[in-house]
Structures are given as structure tokens and as C-alpha cells.
Amino acid sequence: MKHLIASILFLATIGVASAQTKGHVSYALDFSSDNPEMAMAISMMQGSTMEMYFMPKKSRIEMSMGTFIKMNTVMDAKADKGLLLMEMMGNKTATQTKISEVKAEEKKPEIKVEVTTETKEIIGFKCTKTILRDAEGKETIMWIATDLKADLKGHQQFGNAPISGIPLEFSTSVNGMTIHFVASKFEGSVEKSVFSTKVPEGYKIVTEDELKMMGGGQ
């Protein structure tokens, strides 16, 4: 359970996302691992989803991990505010940040991007196979819809990659678990109210360091 929570909190890192257009993409998540000890954790995660909302200078990512963890990450670049809401096993926490401070702390990833000629269609969008390679040679394959323009820097789900467009299918690995994301629906409209950075009632405000400690971090 400790490794499972740490894996989920890895995806909760607050970052910067300033979209160039607007819309709502729904994703289905699938989990796998070569470690037999992860089998129970994986079974608990079935049915997980991710919702991405974006419009100019605002973004929101909602993740429902199984039935016991929910996370909402909201970025408002115009107001210089970021908010992470987490509900885990009955505990509700909120982490606030200033986007300008996040930008100052970000390190540029040493990632090489190879855009191939291979394409396929996902939920009506033409997606191009793109291969990302980090400094250690690890490869990540993303199928990117370049018709959907957004800046996804800072979001751990997308590996802080310097890409042009929105990945509609990709995988990420952490703590021995591979999470496969694939888009299932797109809507071209989004309500401004989903980008509110106000902390709802019932949430305890914690720092990013306190959040990391919840996952067994140092």
C-alpha cells in the first residue's frame, strides 16, 4: 500500500500548464507490473480515470484512482495560482502554490524528442507516434494530437516533455508499476468554473513537503 500511494503521489506533483485552446479530454487508465507483489494494488486500481480540462492560461486535471483516491490539480497562470486537492481514504487535503515559484524551481528535462511518420486515429484526432528519450536512454512512446494545442510542462503525467500537442495515448512507469492512459472522449467546450483555485470547505491545507511525506517520501 505504501508503494501504491507513493506511485499515485508521483502523479500529483504541482506543475505548470498553460493551454492555447479549450476542451475536455477523458482518459481510461490501465495498470500492469512484472512484480507479483503489486497484483493486489493493481486490482484496486481498476476503473481509474483521468479528466483534463483546458483553456487559455487555465487547466485542470482530475484523477480518480480506483475507489479510494481522488486528485484535482488546477492551474491558473493569469492569477499565478496552483491548487492540488486530494481525497484519500477519508482525508481531504489541499496544497496551494504560486506558478511563478514553480517555474523558478523547474529544471529543464534532458529529453530528446523523435517525431515519427507513423500515425493513427484516436477519438477522431490524427495522432503521431512520438518517441521521447531521457538522458539515461529510457524511451516513452506518446501518440500526440497536434490539433489540440496546450503547454503541458510540469505535469508529471506527461513527463515534462517538450511536445507540441496533447498526448491521447501514452504510458508512464513509477515504482515498478506501468500506467497506460488512452483517451476515450473529447468535448470542445468547458465551463470556467472548473478552474476555480478556491479551497473547498472540509479540506486541510498542507505544504508540498507534507504531501510527499504522506507517500513515504523524504
Side-chain angles (χ1 to χ4, degrees):
M1 177 63 71
K2 181 178 178 180
H3 288 296
L4 175 60
I5 293 175
S7 299
I8 293 170
L9 291 181
F10 170 82
L11 299 175
T13 302
I14 288 182
V16 181
S18 180
Q20 304 304 310
T21 183
K22 64 179 180 179
H24 170 200
V25 183
S26 300
Y27 295 81
L29 279 62
D30 183 64
F31 300 80
S32 61
S33 177
D34 293 330
N35 185 350
E37 295 181 1
M38 298 291 287
M40 182 177 293
I42 288 174
S43 67
M44 296 170 62
M45 304 304 291
Q46 298 309 317
S48 298
T49 60
M50 183 174 80
E51 307 290 332
M52 180 201 298
Y53 303 85
F54 55 96
M55 65 185 302
K57 297 191 176 182
K58 298 177 186 287
S59 68
R60 179 186 181 105
I61 290 183
E62 299 178 356
M63 297 192 71
S64 177
M65 311 298 283
T67 59
F68 64 102
I69 295 184
K70 294 182 179 179
M71 298 181 296
N72 295 333
T73 306
V74 184
M75 292 292 144
D76 186 336
K78 185 176 181 180
D80 193 24
K81 292 181 179 180
L83 175 67
L84 169 63
L85 301 176
M86 179 174 293
E87 184 175 349
M88 180 168 57
M89 295 180 285
N91 296 316
K92 296 182 178 181
T93 59
T95 304
Q96 299 172 303
T97 189
K98 287 189 175 183
I99 295 177
S100 57
E101 294 177 356
V102 174
K103 285 183 176 180
E105 295 175 358
E106 283 182 349
K107 295 180 180 179
K108 293 183 179 180
E110 296 180 6
I111 298 177
K112 294 183 179 180
V113 180
E114 177 187 349
V115 180
T116 74
T117 58
E118 188 175 350
T119 63
K120 68 177 178 179
E121 185 175 301
I122 303 175
I123 59 171
F125 290 92
K126 179 181 177 181
C127 297
T128 302
K129 181 179 180 180
T130 303
I131 304 172
L132 282 63
R133 296 183 179 89
D134 64 17
E136 298 178 352
K138 180 182 176 182
E139 291 188 354
T140 300
I141 295 176
M142 291 185 170
W143 292 88
I144 298 175
T146 55
D147 288 341
L148 298 176
K149 299 296 185 182
D151 181 356
L152 301 174
K153 293 178 182 178
H155 276 290
Q156 292 290 351
Q157 294 93 334
F158 305 102
N160 294 330
I163 56 178
S164 177
I166 292 181
L168 296 185
E169 183 177 352
F170 62 100
S171 295
T172 186
S173 297
V174 57
N175 291 333
M177 178 186 291
T178 297
I179 309 174
H180 181 232
F181 298 73
V182 60
S184 58
K185 183 176 66 174
F186 172 78
E187 297 178 1
S189 61
V190 59
E191 296 291 333
K192 291 184 178 180
S193 58
V194 304
F195 305 110
S196 172
T197 55
K198 181 180 179 180
V199 177
E201 292 185 8
Y203 281 80
K204 177 185 176 182
I205 298 177
V206 301
T207 65
E208 287 192 67
D209 288 338
E210 289 173 328
L211 179 66
K212 292 176 182 177
M213 291 300 295
M214 293 170 59
Q218 300 297 322

